[in-house]
Structure formats: C-alpha cells, structure tokens
Amino acid sequence: MARYREYSDAQLVAACRHDEAEAWDELIARYERLVYTIPLRYGLSPAEAEDVFQTTWMALLEKLATLNEPDRVSAWLVTTARRATWDRRRGAENERTESFNPAELPDGMSNATPEEIVAEFQLQQRARQALAKLGERCRRLLYYLYQDHDDPTYADIAQIMGMTTGSIGPTRARCLEKLRALLEEDA
C-alpha cells in the first residue's frame, strides 16, 4: 500500500477502476476522517455518522467508473456525504438519543465549512505523507514530543529512545527541519 500513498487522487481513482484493492484502501484511508467528520459537523450522532460514512463510500464505489473529475474526488466525497447527511436528518428514523458537542471535533473544525474541512484534511494528509518519509528515529521522537497523549518528559523520551536528555532538543530541531523541507518539496 506504500506505493499508493504517493499517488494523486486521480491516479488512485484510476487504480481503483482497475480493481486494485490496495488503491481503494489508500483512498479510504486518505479521506475516511473527512467523510466521517461531515455528518458530525451537522449534528448527527456517531452511529448516524457511520451510516453516512458507509452510504458515501458505497456511492463512490457505484459511481467510480463514471466519475467525471477524479482529481476532485475529495470534493465529490464532501458533497455526497453532505447530501447523505441531509437525507439522514430528514428521515423519520433520525431521533437523536445523544447530544452533539461541536467542541468535540478536531481543533478549529467546529465552525468550519465543508470546504475548509477538505482543505484542513488535505493539509493533514500532506503532513502524514511527509512524516512517513522521515527516518524511524525522527518519526518516533516527533511522536513522543507532539502526539503521545501520556505527555512523556524529556527524561522519559531519552530512556525510551536510548538518547541523552540533552540531545533531544537538537535532534528535534534537525527532525523538524527535515519535515519542513519535505513539506516544502511537496508544496
């Protein structure tokens, strides 16, 4: 599946049209959070969002061969997910049993338009692709520093990674510089 990460959306759609299952997996991985966020943004419950998610991907599967602008598949997914959400909200079975709190969406997304959500997720996708190109040591260090929910201390990270505490800052700076260069390269 690693080779498909480098594919553009149009290339992924073309590969999906040729029944390449790994391309389909990559397409879903690339946009699953985007598709799932849209119904949540419109106030559906997580269970209802799952239904919209399934409906959206099934619609893409059905329309894949006739998709006119494969390079705009993300916009197609947003439009389809939005319409499925509206259909779900109009449906009689749509009685909410749980409340929705927009503050539970990712930072800055609670008031975002679907277009802004697409832009944000495309940026996140670029960042994930750049991180995947970094060496293992940099990926691990950046994970512990910025993503680990346990918030390990420098001493903890040094012990986990077999580094001295004093080398974490300079290593972090080099890793971030490499990441910045990769992001600029892909821009």
Side-chain angles (χ1 to χ4, degrees):
M1 193 160 106
R3 76 179 175 128
Y4 293 105
R5 287 189 190 119
E6 303 296 322
Y7 278 30
S8 68
D9 287 349
Q11 291 171 313
L12 274 178
V13 169
C16 289
R17 287 175 175 166
H18 288 98
D19 296 323
E20 296 178 37
E22 289 181 351
W24 181 254
D25 292 342
E26 175 60 28
L27 189 61
I28 292 174
R30 189 173 291 181
Y31 292 113
E32 66 187 338
R33 289 175 46 197
L34 169 66
V35 171
Y36 188 76
T37 300
I38 291 169
L40 292 177
R41 166 128 170 51
Y42 282 97
L44 297 185
S45 71
E48 293 167 320
E50 283 290 332
D51 290 342
V52 169
F53 180 88
Q54 293 296 329
T55 300
T56 302
W57 288 105
M58 288 303 296
L60 179 60
L61 186 59
E62 291 170 2
K63 300 288 186 188
L64 196 61
T66 59
L67 198 62
N68 290 330
E69 298 178 78
D71 56 321
R72 293 182 34 90
V73 70
S74 61
W76 188 94
L77 288 166
V78 167
T79 300
T80 304
R82 197 172 6 182
R83 287 178 181 159
T85 298
W86 293 337
D87 290 346
R88 180 75 180 177
R89 288 184 74 176
R90 281 192 297 259
E93 74 277 7
N94 189 29
E95 302 222 358
R96 269 188 209 60
T97 57
E98 46 189 279
S99 63
F100 171 73
N101 180 0
E104 294 173 2
L105 289 173
D107 292 341
M109 300 296 264
S110 60
N111 294 319
T113 66
E115 292 76 17
E116 291 168 332
I117 293 170
V118 169
E120 175 65 24
F121 278 93
Q122 287 174 338
L123 179 63
Q124 289 176 10
Q125 179 64 25
R126 283 186 50 231
R128 281 191 293 276
Q129 288 172 337
L131 278 168
K133 292 178 183 177
L134 285 177
E136 177 67 23
R137 181 179 171 106
C138 279
R139 277 196 311 271
R140 287 182 59 215
L141 179 62
L142 294 177
Y143 169 79
Y144 290 127
L145 288 170
Y146 300 109
Q147 293 182 306
D148 191 331
H149 295 293
D150 293 333
D151 292 325
T153 64
Y154 268 32
D156 294 335
I157 295 170
Q159 183 178 15
I160 292 168
M161 295 198 58
M163 303 170 67
T164 63
T165 304
S167 67
I168 290 176
T171 304
R172 177 194 62 214
R174 285 190 299 275
C175 291
L176 289 173
E177 179 58 32
K178 288 177 186 177
L179 183 61
R180 184 192 61 74
L182 287 168
L183 286 168
E184 286 178 358
E185 181 181 296
D186 289 338

